[in-house]
Amino acid sequence: MEKVRAQPQASHGPWLSPEAKAKGLVLTEDGAAGPRNKKKMSALQGCQKMRKGSKPNGRDSSLARFTRAWSGYAGCAKLSTIRRIHLFSTQGGQICILVKHIGKIPDTLMKPGSVKPLKSKEKRRMPIDFDDLLDDDDSIVIDPRDIFLTLDRDKAFAFPRDIQTEVMKDWFGQRGQPDTVIKLNVGSGKTLVGLLLLQSSLNEEISPAVYIAPDKQLVDQVLAEAEALGIEVTDDPHDTDFQSGDRILVTTIHRLFNGKSVFGVGAEGVKIKLGAVVIDDAHACIATVTEQFRIELPNTHAAYQEILKTVEPDLRRQSHARFLDVNSGDPRAMMEVPYWAWIKAQEEIMQALHGHKNDDELKFSYPLLRDILPLCRCVISGQKMEIEPDCPPTDLVRSFSRAKRRIYMTATLADDSVLVTHFGADPEKLSDPIVPTSSQSMGERMILMPQELNPEITLKEIKALLIDLAEKENVVVIVPSKNAAKDWEDVADQTLMASNVVAGVEKLRDGHVGLTVLVNRYDGIDLPHDACRVLVIYNLPEVASFSDLTDMAVLSDSQSGLRRQMQRVEQGMGRGVRSNDDYCVVLLAGSKLTRRVKSPDGLKLLTPATQAQLDLSKKIAKQLDGVDIKGIAGVIDQCLKRDPSWVKVSKKTLLKAQAKTGLVLDKASVAVRLAFDTARSGDYKAAADLLSAAANAAQDDDEKAWLMSKLAAMQHHLNPAASQKTLLAAHRLNPNVLRPIEGIAYQKLAAQKGAQAAEVQSYHQERFLEAADRILEVNQLTDDLRFQSVTPDKFEAAIDAVARFIGLHSQRPEKQFNDEGPDNLWALPDGSFLVIECKNNATSEKGISKTDLGQLDQAMSWFFGKYTKAATGTPVIIHPLRTLGDGASEVEGMRIMTENGLKKLRKALADFAKSLGDPDILNSQKQINELLATHGFNGVEFLKRYTTTVK
């Protein structure tokens, strides 16, 4: 331990009387007692600051302030050796500064009179204080790279990487922007960049600074890296060093955005000020933000029942049959409350929610939504209710919205619109993202789509391949839902969802597990190196909320819908490669996913690096002698066994991939956000004008219908009659939007007499340019034609699509017209009709229920009311059972399609599609007719082959 004593020049010495301390006075630099000055720090304060363990960080450090304030006194120890400073007052008015390297303070030094002034000879031997040679401006470093070089950091951090330097330099040049986006591939060192940008902001007196991560696991990683770098951090928002700008707070997105946020919510104002904010893994944080601004109530909650009872009449008018499913607790049945019913019932809804505001289900979300409930949407299923706005009003946390700098870092954000829709950024002030020029920071991925290379490869073959690979490697399969996970139950070594994800991921990191199924986790999971050598994305990701699900029913075939799906796929593919020296095989499996990704529009929405890796994989596959599952296994083996030629060409491919530049904003999504914010201020007219302009500029009918439905909801506040007219026009464009109050006038399905072959020829020639596309389409249909695997809406949509696939006319009367009609109506070539009720999710084991057969009987009554008596209609129910349940009565002439019939239909459709791949057959209506007859797709034969009678 080295002692340094200082004898002050002032006659009274740097000593505060008890009276001065009681008044809150402090020692000033001239040795007098005066008020606290936050901008300047006295020598005494500087010493006290050093007692807290401050480290060099490029700022005007406490030690530098101390040595300048006490210039002329005895010297100080070298800056590089300081670890802690202790300050003691002596009875003689002297100051004793103990420069401590290690250990505790000896008790003898605590005794009065034990400290004596240094002799003059000792003073002369003190080292030179080089800080005295610095001007005030010279001691403050604000360039992030320069800050890095001043840090007392771990040896692992020798120099920042070129890619980090490039990004930090670009940011430093535009740091005056309130919102900036930085896109860095996984493994590029985003954490280091984010910490240095925040330290730069602190050094520039833009404080406090906070680093936001998606979850606690990543918070711990950031804290550890900051410690290794020598940057002062804390995870406590109440830490005074954080609030004074001396430390960076590292915390989760959940802690920032919730109804009881420590930073303040709404009328609470700003509890903790923020100057600079980094949102790391912004794409992963989005899901948490939307969850925080959503109320979820289980059907056992009193408020669920109260609200359901309030809106019941309007739900029944939308669809009586669907309401019965919801009311019976069917988890797959859901309905959106019409906006006019929601607005009309605001008083009752507010009372229901307010009365339970302190319940666990409401205490964190209700405070965020209570003032904007009229602008929220409500979707109710048989199991729970969700209430959320179109966009999360994150500006309610004013500390965030008023921060001088907000920096969003992401690896896979292909659509920058979320910065506007979810974080409230001003689209007019957003600058182009900061993107490094090279993709070399990304790890090596071999991306293969087996069913693109050979559409006849089955899921069974893919599973067998993965089982073999899982004997030596960790294989991770990401599936979109619990139902999809059932397809993998027979081969999974562990299935991870919700509560067991963290523990399961740790097992993967610790060693070999085998085959892991990960349910609906496309982001926020790190699987580096041996934790995952083979990653499988199985089928299209499903949306997280009921509101998104209803939106995707409208937008699924639109550019907006495709963009949302590709964003999730890109996020999922990033789980297996976490650094530039990592490698992984990525398989994209499932007909729906394959069709989306291989489409020209889908490919454009992927990052350049992913596009390049996909293109390389296709070129390799073309060199195979016949693309079967064995050939694909051989290619995978080359990657996993580190074939030098593969490694070389892979790295060269990434070198050529040029990063996308420029801001990518979806105009429709931005318009919805701007309209939402305008409506919150009460200007519904201006909000409606924004949505009207966006609808007129829409890219396709689906997007137009979606925007017009938003416009109708906004117009209801101004003119309910005009609102209904707008909604009617939207419904005509896309029947998946809400139905108007008065419903839609039913339009009869024209009877189809002959010409079925011509319909088949026209449909297939226009829709499919390649035989492989047809196979993928039929695979998608057959995936959805299964009991208990998809929602009723998807199943009914698949039945509708099957009709067109085999050249028949079809409708979905219940969905399109809400006229008490059947789920599906087919017109057969002989002029007759099939009146179809779909019960693919029926769970009864005691036969077809009275309720289900009652709906079939009602559908037949509807049919006879709409069509002439001369029309022939056959009632068909698709149900896993063929026996009658208690109290159920058989509908006259009814036929049943059971699992056996459905299985036969799936196989026949696949064979039919393969045959049409022959151009000679597709160009000949005669041969198409023969093919239709072979598979029993023409008229009465369909009923005989694929349906049966009551047992």
Side-chain angles (χ1 to χ4, degrees):
M1 180 169 299
E2 179 182 356
K3 302 177 187 177
V4 183
R5 301 180 184 84
Q7 176 63 48
Q9 294 173 349
S11 60
H12 58 278
W15 178 265
L16 279 179
S17 67
E19 292 79 11
K21 290 182 180 178
K23 293 179 181 180
L25 301 179
V26 297
L27 283 174
T28 60
E29 291 186 11
D30 59 4
R36 184 179 301 277
N37 187 331
K38 293 184 179 180
K39 295 295 183 181
K40 296 181 180 180
M41 185 169 290
S42 68
L44 180 58
Q45 287 175 291
C47 294
Q48 290 170 335
K49 199 70 180 176
M50 286 187 285
R51 289 179 63 185
K52 296 179 181 178
S54 299
K55 296 181 181 179
N57 53 17
R59 303 187 69 194
D60 188 10
S61 69
S62 301
L63 184 58
R65 290 195 293 270
F66 167 80
T67 53
R68 286 199 301 278
W70 287 84
S71 59
Y73 301 105
C76 293
K78 293 182 180 178
L79 182 61
S80 61
T81 64
I82 290 290
R83 284 298 175 270
R84 191 177 303 164
I85 303 243
H86 294 278
L87 177 69
F88 298 98
S89 304
T90 67
Q91 289 181 339
Q94 300 165 345
I95 295 292
C96 175
I97 300 98
L98 301 175
V99 181
K100 184 180 180 187
H101 297 270
I102 56 173
K104 294 183 178 180
I105 305 168
D107 293 336
T108 55
L109 294 179
M110 301 296 291
K111 297 179 181 179
S114 63
V115 179
K116 298 179 180 180
L118 291 176
K119 298 178 181 180
S120 58
K121 188 176 180 180
E122 290 176 311
K123 291 182 183 179
R124 287 195 297 270
R125 291 199 299 268
M126 288 301 172
I128 296 173
D129 179 10
F130 292 103
D131 282 331
D132 289 340
L133 304 179
L134 295 175
D135 294 331
D136 287 344
D137 291 341
D138 291 336
S139 60
I140 302 175
V141 181
I142 61 174
D143 185 288
R145 190 178 189 280
D146 291 344
I147 292 173
F148 177 90
L149 298 176
T150 68
L151 296 172
D152 182 14
R153 58 193 184 277
D154 189 274
K155 293 179 180 179
F157 297 96
F159 291 96
R161 303 174 192 168
D162 291 344
I163 200 168
Q164 293 169 328
T165 299
E166 177 187 355
V167 165
M168 291 189 294
K169 180 180 178 181
D170 288 347
W171 173 84
F172 192 68
Q174 56 179 280
R175 66 189 187 281
Q177 295 284 342
D179 295 283
T180 53
V181 188
I182 296 175
K183 296 185 179 181
L184 276 170
N185 290 323
V186 172
S188 302
K190 293 198 306 296
T191 303
L192 180 145
V193 170
L195 288 169
L196 288 175
L197 301 191
L198 289 177
Q199 189 64 61
S200 171
S201 298
L202 289 180
N203 291 4
E204 209 170 358
E205 297 188 356
I206 297 175
S207 65
V210 60
Y211 191 112
I212 300 294
D215 54 46
K216 183 63 169 62
Q217 181 183 5
L218 292 178
V219 165
D220 292 340
Q221 291 178 19
V222 175
L223 290 171
E225 185 157 337
E227 179 70 19
L229 282 168
I231 292 178
E232 288 288 324
V233 292
T234 179
D235 60 357
D236 179 9
H238 300 292
D239 188 314
T240 54
D241 281 350
F242 154 64
Q243 295 189 18
S244 64
D246 289 311
R247 289 184 180 179
I248 295 169
L249 172 67
V250 183
T251 190
T252 63
I253 189 75
H254 179 277
R255 199 162 193 185
L256 177 62
F257 293 114
N258 69 79
K260 295 184 179 294
S261 174
V262 296
F263 299 92
V265 178
E268 295 176 347
V270 176
K271 288 184 176 180
I272 300 177
K273 176 190 172 186
L274 295 178
V277 182
V278 161
I279 305 284
D280 193 6
D281 278 353
H283 52 280
C285 290
I286 290 167
T288 301
V289 170
T290 54
E291 287 172 8
Q292 294 303 98
F293 287 85
R294 179 190 306 139
I295 292 173
E296 294 188 11
L297 299 172
N299 62 0
T300 54
H301 196 278
Y304 173 102
Q305 298 298 334
E306 291 170 31
I307 294 173
L308 178 62
K309 184 177 180 180
T310 300
V311 299
E312 177 180 339
D314 292 278
L315 292 180
R316 286 182 180 275
R317 279 193 287 270
Q318 279 287 303
S319 172
H320 188 209
R322 196 58 53 86
F323 172 77
L324 292 176
D325 290 337
V326 169
N327 201 39
S328 67
D330 185 342
R332 292 184 172 275
M334 66 180 64
M335 300 183 72
E336 180 170 5
V337 177
Y339 57 80
W340 56 88
W342 182 253
I343 294 170
K344 179 179 65 176
Q346 275 303 294
E347 180 61 31
E348 294 89 342
I349 292 166
M350 179 68 78
Q351 290 288 347
L353 296 174
H354 187 78
H356 302 278
K357 65 180 182 179
N358 294 320
D359 292 1
D360 289 342
E361 294 87 350
L362 289 165
K363 63 183 179 182
F364 289 107
S365 54
Y366 177 70
L368 296 171
L369 301 185
R370 62 189 175 191
D371 294 328
I372 58 167
L373 276 175
L375 294 175
C376 288
R377 303 166 64 184
C378 177
V379 184
I380 307 176
S381 82
Q383 292 295 303
K384 68 176 181 177
M385 170 187 297
E386 292 185 357
I387 302 168
E388 67 178 308
D390 279 328
C391 303
T394 45
D395 59 295
L396 288 176
V397 180
R398 296 182 185 177
S399 298
F400 174 76
S401 61
R402 294 182 178 181
K404 190 170 183 180
R405 290 177 183 170
R406 291 174 294 274
I407 304 162
Y408 308 94
M409 300 197 304
T410 178
T412 58
L413 197 63
D415 181 9
D416 302 312
S417 308
V418 293
L419 305 180
V420 178
T421 58
H422 288 69
F423 293 111
D426 186 343
E428 299 298 325
K429 295 181 180 179
L430 273 175
S431 57
D432 287 347
I434 297 171
V435 185
T437 55
S438 172
S439 296
Q440 275 293 294
S441 61
M442 174 177 278
E444 171 197 320
R445 297 183 301 184
M446 175 182 279
I447 306 177
L448 297 170
M449 292 192 289
Q451 290 161 306
E452 181 202 25
L453 304 175
N454 182 351
E456 297 186 22
I457 290 176
T458 64
L459 176 61
K460 184 178 180 180
E461 290 177 302
I462 293 173
K463 287 167 70 174
L465 168 63
L466 296 177
I467 291 171
D468 289 341
L469 292 171
E471 291 182 3
K472 295 182 179 180
E473 308 286 356
N474 274 331
V475 176
V476 177
V477 182
I478 302 179
V479 300
S481 64
K482 291 181 182 179
N483 276 324
K486 292 177 181 178
D487 292 338
W488 299 85
E489 284 178 342
D490 57 329
V491 298
D493 292 296
Q494 63 172 351
T495 299
L496 307 181
M497 61 180 79
S499 60
N500 68 338
V501 168
V502 174
V505 169
E506 283 303 312
K507 284 181 66 177
L508 288 168
R509 288 169 175 257
D510 290 341
H512 182 255
V513 174
L515 194 147
T516 296
V517 174
L518 194 58
V519 180
N520 199 26
R521 289 299 295 265
Y522 296 87
D523 50 39
I525 298 292
D526 289 343
L527 301 169
H529 302 288
D530 289 340
C532 177
R533 288 303 183 195
V534 180
L535 176 68
V536 183
I537 310 293
Y538 176 61
N539 259 331
L540 282 173
E542 292 185 3
V543 293
S545 72
F546 289 168
S547 292
D548 285 343
L549 189 62
T550 55
D551 283 347
M552 283 303 295
V554 180
L555 293 170
S556 60
D557 293 328
S558 71
Q559 189 72 8
S560 293
L562 183 62
R563 183 179 293 108
R564 296 184 188 188
Q565 290 172 333
M566 290 301 99
Q567 174 72 36
R568 296 286 280 167
V569 171
E570 185 84 66
Q571 289 171 0
M573 286 193 287
R575 298 309 93 205
V577 176
R578 308 305 295 170
S579 63
N580 63 348
D581 62 347
D582 202 354
Y583 65 91
C584 180
V585 174
V586 179
L587 299 183
L588 305 181
S591 52
K592 297 176 187 177
L593 176 60
T594 303
R595 288 191 68 206
R596 283 294 201 177
V597 174
K598 77 183 290 289
S599 68
D601 289 338
L603 282 171
K604 291 177 184 176
L605 296 173
L606 297 172
T607 62
T610 300
Q611 290 183 39
Q613 289 171 327
L614 267 172
D615 186 59
L616 173 61
S617 299
K618 290 178 186 177
K619 291 177 180 177
I620 293 172
K622 288 180 180 179
Q623 298 181 18
L624 296 174
D625 294 330
V627 183
D628 57 14
I629 202 69
K630 290 183 179 179
I632 292 173
V635 174
I636 291 174
D637 200 49
Q638 285 183 277
C639 174
L640 296 179
K641 291 186 176 179
R642 317 309 297 135
D643 183 305
S645 61
W646 158 254
V647 174
K648 181 178 179 180
V649 72
S650 175
K651 292 185 179 298
K652 186 176 180 181
T653 297
L654 282 177
L655 189 62
K656 293 179 179 178
Q658 295 297 314
K660 289 181 180 178
T661 58
L663 201 63
V664 180
L665 294 178
D666 177 42
K667 294 180 180 179
S669 298
V670 170
V672 169
R673 174 72 202 211
L674 296 178
F676 172 73
D677 287 339
T678 304
R680 286 172 63 197
S681 68
D683 193 348
Y684 295 110
K685 174 65 169 60
D689 289 342
L690 287 168
L691 290 170
S692 179
N696 291 333
Q699 300 179 30
D700 51 60
D701 285 349
D702 291 337
E703 185 178 272
K704 188 180 184 73
W706 180 68
L707 286 166
M708 289 177 69
S709 68
K710 303 288 185 189
L711 171 61
M714 201 64 68
Q715 287 176 327
H716 186 80
H717 296 276
L718 304 166
N719 187 335
S723 166
Q724 290 298 310
K725 289 181 180 179
T726 300
L727 188 59
L728 176 60
H731 195 276
R732 286 171 176 164
L733 290 173
N734 189 313
N736 290 307
V737 302
L738 281 169
R739 281 187 288 265
I741 295 176
E742 299 301 325
I744 308 295
Y746 179 69
Q747 298 177 357
K748 289 184 179 181
L749 180 63
Q752 184 168 329
K753 296 183 178 179
Q756 186 178 0
E759 293 283 352
V760 169
Q761 191 177 61
S762 174
Y763 177 84
H764 285 260
Q765 287 179 342
E766 291 177 7
R767 190 173 179 86
F768 308 114
L769 297 177
E770 299 178 7
D773 293 330
R774 183 180 295 104
I775 299 297
L776 290 172
E777 165 98 351
V778 80
N779 287 344
Q780 178 177 331
L781 286 178
T782 56
D783 284 345
D784 287 343
L785 290 175
R786 298 178 187 276
F787 289 113
Q788 296 293 333
S789 64
V790 296
T791 62
D793 187 68
K794 284 186 177 180
F795 189 90
E796 293 162 18
I799 292 293
D800 187 60
V802 166
R804 294 192 299 274
F805 198 84
I806 62 176
L808 300 178
H809 295 173
S810 177
Q811 275 184 349
R812 296 178 65 187
E814 196 274 334
K815 184 173 184 66
Q816 292 175 255
F817 305 102
N818 186 30
D819 204 14
E820 305 298 329
D823 293 326
N824 296 85
L825 182 67
W826 283 14
L828 299 178
D830 61 2
S832 64
F833 296 85
L834 299 185
V835 182
I836 306 171
E837 280 292 321
C838 300
K839 300 300 174 186
N840 65 301
N841 281 316
T843 56
S844 172
E845 298 179 356
K846 298 180 180 180
I848 306 173
S849 71
K850 180 180 179 180
T851 300
D852 290 344
L853 287 175
Q855 290 181 9
L856 182 62
D857 187 56
Q858 178 180 293
M860 287 305 297
S861 297
W862 171 90
F863 175 77
F864 290 127
K866 298 296 182 183
Y867 291 81
T868 65
K869 292 183 179 180
T872 302
T874 301
V876 177
I877 187 167
I878 303 177
H879 196 286
L881 303 176
R882 56 179 295 199
T883 57
L884 300 182
D886 295 340
S889 300
E890 182 178 354
V891 178
E892 184 179 353
M894 67 178 280
R895 305 285 297 184
I896 308 169
M897 183 179 289
T898 62
E899 174 57 41
N900 185 50
L902 205 55
K903 184 177 180 180
K904 288 180 180 178
L905 179 59
R906 290 196 296 265
K907 184 178 186 307
L909 286 168
D911 292 340
F912 183 69
K914 291 177 186 177
S915 298
L916 290 178
D918 184 341
D920 292 336
I921 294 178
L922 188 57
N923 291 328
S924 169
Q925 290 188 20
K926 179 181 178 182
Q927 292 190 60
I928 292 175
N929 269 324
E930 292 173 355
L931 199 59
L932 289 168
T934 298
H935 295 294
F937 290 158
N938 49 357
V940 178
E941 186 62 28
F942 183 91
L943 290 173
K944 291 181 180 179
R945 192 170 300 191
Y946 302 109
T947 68
T948 186
T949 57
V950 174
K951 188 174 181 180

